[in-house]
Amino acid sequence: MNSRTRDIFRTRAKMIQYIRRFFDDRDFIEVETPMMNMVAGGANARPFITHHNHLNLDLSMRIAPELYLKMLVVGGLDRVYEIGKQFRNEGMD
Protein backbone atom coordinates (compact mmCIF):
# COMPACT_ATOMS: atom_id res chain seq x y z
CA MET A 1 0.00 0.00 0.00
CA ASN A 2 1.40 3.39 -0.90
CA SER A 3 1.80 6.11 1.73
CA ARG A 4 -0.97 8.35 0.35
CA THR A 5 -3.54 5.55 0.59
CA ARG A 6 -2.33 4.64 4.10
CA ASP A 7 -2.69 8.31 5.15
CA ILE A 8 -6.28 8.41 3.83
CA PHE A 9 -7.20 5.34 5.90
CA ARG A 10 -5.53 6.77 9.01
CA THR A 11 -7.23 10.15 8.57
CA ARG A 12 -10.64 8.50 8.14
CA ALA A 13 -10.10 6.38 11.27
CA LYS A 14 -9.09 9.45 13.29
CA MET A 15 -12.15 11.37 12.09
CA ILE A 16 -14.50 8.56 13.10
CA GLN A 17 -12.76 8.24 16.49
CA TYR A 18 -13.20 11.98 17.04
CA ILE A 19 -16.89 11.89 16.12
CA ARG A 20 -17.51 8.93 18.46
CA ARG A 21 -15.61 10.58 21.30
CA PHE A 22 -17.52 13.84 20.75
CA PHE A 23 -20.91 12.13 21.13
CA ASP A 24 -19.80 9.67 23.83
CA ASP A 25 -18.46 12.55 25.96
CA ARG A 26 -21.95 14.09 25.79
CA ASP A 27 -23.68 10.89 27.00
CA PHE A 28 -25.02 9.82 23.62
CA ILE A 29 -25.44 6.10 22.93
CA GLU A 30 -24.16 4.59 19.68
CA VAL A 31 -26.73 2.27 18.09
CA GLU A 32 -27.05 0.15 14.96
CA THR A 33 -30.28 0.14 12.98
CA PRO A 34 -31.35 -2.35 10.29
CA MET A 35 -29.56 -2.22 6.93
CA MET A 36 -32.35 -3.97 5.02
CA ASN A 37 -36.04 -3.09 5.15
CA MET A 38 -39.27 -4.40 3.70
CA VAL A 39 -40.24 -0.86 2.67
CA ALA A 40 -37.77 1.92 1.90
CA GLY A 41 -38.32 5.17 3.75
CA GLY A 42 -36.72 8.14 5.41
CA ALA A 43 -35.39 9.93 2.36
CA ASN A 44 -36.28 10.84 -1.18
CA ALA A 45 -34.06 8.45 -3.15
CA ARG A 46 -34.62 5.27 -5.12
CA PRO A 47 -33.43 2.32 -2.99
CA PHE A 48 -31.19 -0.53 -4.03
CA ILE A 49 -33.11 -3.79 -3.94
CA THR A 50 -31.57 -7.06 -2.78
CA HIS A 51 -32.94 -10.57 -2.20
CA HIS A 52 -32.72 -12.52 1.05
CA ASN A 53 -32.45 -16.13 -0.13
CA HIS A 54 -33.25 -17.88 3.15
CA LEU A 55 -36.41 -15.82 3.74
CA ASN A 56 -37.21 -15.57 0.02
CA LEU A 57 -37.86 -11.84 0.38
CA ASP A 58 -36.95 -8.82 -1.72
CA LEU A 59 -35.59 -6.14 0.61
CA SER A 60 -34.50 -2.53 0.19
CA MET A 61 -31.06 -1.44 1.34
CA ARG A 62 -31.56 1.48 3.67
CA ILE A 63 -31.24 4.97 2.27
CA ALA A 64 -31.47 6.81 5.60
CA PRO A 65 -31.42 5.80 9.29
CA GLU A 66 -33.73 8.60 10.50
CA LEU A 67 -36.91 6.56 10.98
CA TYR A 68 -35.30 4.03 13.32
CA LEU A 69 -33.39 6.73 15.20
CA LYS A 70 -36.63 8.68 15.69
CA MET A 71 -38.33 5.52 17.02
CA LEU A 72 -35.53 5.14 19.57
CA VAL A 73 -35.94 8.77 20.66
CA VAL A 74 -39.72 8.37 21.01
CA GLY A 75 -39.08 5.15 22.94
CA GLY A 76 -37.00 6.98 25.55
CA LEU A 77 -33.41 6.90 24.25
CA ASP A 78 -33.22 10.62 23.63
CA ARG A 79 -29.48 10.82 22.91
CA VAL A 80 -28.53 8.35 20.17
CA TYR A 81 -26.25 8.41 17.16
CA GLU A 82 -25.24 6.02 14.42
CA ILE A 83 -22.21 5.90 12.18
CA GLY A 84 -23.28 3.60 9.37
CA LYS A 85 -23.54 3.04 5.67
CA GLN A 86 -26.29 4.51 3.51
CA PHE A 87 -27.22 3.08 0.14
CA ARG A 88 -28.61 5.98 -1.89
CA ASN A 89 -29.31 5.31 -5.57
CA GLU A 90 -29.31 8.88 -6.88
CA GLY A 91 -27.00 8.75 -9.86
CA MET A 92 -23.61 10.37 -10.24
CA ASP A 93 -22.50 13.96 -9.71
Side-chain angles (χ1 to χ4, degrees):
M1 177 181 302
N2 67 47
S3 61
R4 183 175 183 277
T5 301
R6 184 176 295 110
D7 289 343
I8 290 170
F9 278 103
R10 286 184 175 147
T11 300
R12 180 185 181 279
K14 287 179 182 179
M15 290 171 60
I16 292 172
Q17 287 172 353
Y18 174 81
I19 292 167
R20 279 196 171 106
R21 189 171 39 252
F22 177 88
F23 284 113
D24 291 344
D25 288 348
R26 288 156 179 81
D27 295 323
F28 281 75
I29 299 170
E30 184 173 5
V31 297
E32 288 187 30
T33 60
M35 299 293 283
M36 295 185 286
N37 302 294
M38 296 284 289
V39 178
N44 189 19
R46 191 178 63 195
F48 288 100
I49 306 297
T50 188
H51 185 77
H52 193 297
N53 290 327
H54 184 74
L55 299 176
N56 194 28
L57 288 174
D58 286 333
L59 298 168
S60 300
M61 303 298 288
R62 77 166 175 198
I63 54 178
E66 288 93 357
L67 296 177
Y68 286 102
L69 295 174
K70 288 176 183 177
M71 285 189 256
L72 290 169
V73 170
V74 169
L77 288 176
D78 60 342
R79 297 174 76 85
V80 295
Y81 73 97
E82 179 174 19
I83 300 173
K85 306 287 186 211
Q86 314 307 318
F87 302 95
R88 299 178 79 102
N89 191 9
E90 297 179 290
M92 295 177 61
D93 291 335

